[in-house]
Amino acid sequence: MDFDDTWHPATHPSGAVLPALLAVCDMLPNNSKPSGRDFLLAFNVGIEVQGRLMRFSNEAHNIPKRFHPPTVVGTLGSAAACARLLSLERSQCSHALAIAASLSGAPMANAATQSKPLHIGNAARLGLEAALLASRGLEASPRVLDDTAGVAGFSAFYEDYAPRPLTSPEEELQFLLEDQDIAFKRFPAHLGMHWVADAAASVHKLLLGEQGSEVVGQVQDILLRVPRSKYIDRPFPESEHEARHSFQFNACSALLDGEVTVDSFSQDALQRPDLHALLGRVHVEHPHDNPANFDRMYGEVQVTLVGGDVLKGRCDTFYGHWRNPLTNESLRKKFRSNAGAGSFPERRWRV
């Protein structure tokens, strides 16, 4: 659903790690189950490895162009977490990461298709597989994560990859999570959509104030000022997956409804005549000061009314971004909504 947590440089860290750790717990015999503390430590190791790898590349700080990040760093994060939970020794951990590198990578061409969700599942599965293979003696290159001249290791994914050594075990190690908040999405779509949705929602309020509840008949032209990124510039999305990756769709949905929700991507919502009428009036600009970078980009929506008036909305930091995180109550609301969508009559969720 593209509802995963996100951080910067952007990847979806939990989805690639948590399912693999749960699988390890199921696999281990009852007399060898990990403690909650060990489980959380392994989870943090998996998150930490992903964050460290992405911070070794300036290219990784921008909206991806070639590889979907969870299929790269997520696979290695899963391998690291599983290796920790399985208590592999040092050389086995090294082999697990190197094996995972050989199982990593998926092209961004599969974004906005049914195969994009498969990326996260594969990252979790293949990371676990790498750890299990290493535990059984399979070996791989110890140089995969090094910056070795003439050897294409992790730099195959990020050409400007420049690793730095970690703090030694004798020194105090500061985890990235100590100074890096996670972004939790309010609605299930590509992260970039949240900027234009918040900007358009602010224009929706202005439209209601000036024109009452009618929107479409008053709108002559819609201008979006967003970063340049081809795979999320989709003027007329035909499926829910394309809609989750469309600046135009999310801006127009927020203009109509004042928000974007899970239901915004239903077939009924996608086929609304009012929505298609607005989509036909959208133009897109890519200002030079609006980089394809989740930490520095903005979304701007400018609506020209039939009478000539111009309404503007801009979002520099959406609600849910790591600079403006969701409150605990908003997180509980999201959890209850998602959990309630399933059929679990025998369970009662308490959050």
Side-chain angles (χ1 to χ4, degrees):
M1 292 177 67
D2 234 301
F3 224 173
D4 310 52
D5 53 352
T6 309
W7 74 345
H8 185 72
T11 192
H12 303 297
S14 296
V17 172
L18 185 60
L21 292 179
L22 293 174
V24 171
C25 292
D26 279 347
M27 180 188 73
L28 293 174
N30 288 333
N31 61 355
S32 300
K33 298 292 187 187
S35 67
R37 187 174 187 274
D38 287 340
F39 183 92
L40 289 174
L41 177 58
F43 179 78
N44 277 272
V45 166
I47 302 297
E48 183 77 10
V49 165
Q50 296 177 72
R52 296 277 176 178
L53 289 173
M54 298 201 80
R55 280 164 175 75
F56 294 155
S57 163
N58 288 324
E59 179 185 336
H61 282 67
N62 297 319
I63 294 177
K65 295 181 179 179
R66 294 188 301 159
F67 295 102
H68 190 201
T71 72
V72 180
V73 297
T75 308
L76 275 84
S78 171
C82 293
R84 176 64 185 85
L85 202 60
L86 291 167
S87 300
L88 300 192
E89 53 93 11
R90 181 170 180 163
S91 65
Q92 290 176 317
C93 291
S94 174
H95 292 315
L97 290 171
I99 295 167
S102 282
L103 302 176
S104 298
M108 289 306 303
N110 272 332
T113 72
Q114 291 179 332
S115 288
K116 186 185 180 186
L118 181 66
H119 294 174
I120 301 291
N122 268 342
R125 178 178 67 88
L126 295 172
L128 170 56
E129 184 175 312
L132 292 176
L133 288 170
S135 74
R136 286 157 173 76
L138 186 67
E139 298 180 350
S141 171
R143 297 186 293 175
V144 165
L145 296 183
D146 296 334
D147 186 16
T148 306
V151 177
F154 194 76
S155 59
F157 301 109
Y158 297 106
E159 293 180 347
D160 64 349
Y161 174 70
R164 296 181 297 277
L166 290 173
T167 305
S168 69
E170 290 75 23
E171 301 176 47
E172 184 176 352
L173 175 66
Q174 182 176 3
F175 278 87
L176 293 175
L177 280 174
E178 295 179 37
D179 58 13
Q180 165 71 67
D181 287 326
I182 296 288
F184 292 98
K185 299 177 181 180
R186 302 194 319 281
F187 59 89
H190 183 277
L191 193 68
M193 305 302 105
H194 291 65
W195 276 271
V196 292
D198 276 17
S202 65
V203 176
H204 173 83
K205 292 180 181 178
L206 298 175
L207 282 169
L208 292 186
E210 293 197 5
Q211 308 296 341
S213 60
E214 211 283 327
V215 172
V216 177
Q218 302 300 323
V219 174
Q220 177 176 301
D221 181 78
I222 302 168
L223 175 63
L224 307 183
R225 295 189 175 96
V226 294
R228 186 181 300 278
S229 185
K230 291 182 179 180
Y231 78 95
I232 47 179
D233 181 1
R234 298 176 183 272
F236 297 99
E238 297 181 357
S239 70
E240 65 170 290
H241 299 285
E242 291 185 359
R244 297 184 201 280
H245 295 73
S246 167
F247 281 128
Q248 295 87 339
F249 174 88
N250 287 273
C252 290
S253 293
L255 282 174
L256 279 176
D257 305 324
E259 62 179 349
V260 180
T261 68
V262 173
D263 293 335
S264 299
F265 303 95
S266 67
Q267 283 303 308
D268 288 342
L270 262 67
Q271 295 169 3
R272 289 183 291 174
D274 283 355
L275 176 67
H276 284 266
L278 289 184
L279 287 172
R281 302 170 197 177
V282 175
H283 301 87
V284 177
E285 289 183 356
H286 305 294
H288 294 298
D289 67 343
N290 199 356
N293 180 299
F294 290 129
D295 208 39
R296 297 187 288 125
M297 66 178 280
Y298 63 84
E300 195 168 276
V301 177
Q302 177 178 303
V303 174
T304 303
L305 303 182
V306 173
D309 291 339
V310 176
L311 305 177
K312 293 183 179 181
R314 175 173 168 134
C315 176
D316 295 289
T317 304
F318 65 85
Y319 180 47
H321 190 277
W322 41 86
R323 290 195 302 268
N324 185 23
L326 298 184
T327 63
N328 284 338
E329 181 52 39
S330 291
L331 285 170
R332 291 189 187 98
K333 180 180 179 182
K334 175 178 177 176
F335 176 83
R336 294 190 189 104
S337 176
N338 288 341
S343 299
F344 306 110
E346 76 285 2
R347 300 183 183 181
R348 295 294 182 267
W349 301 103
R350 291 185 180 180
V351 178

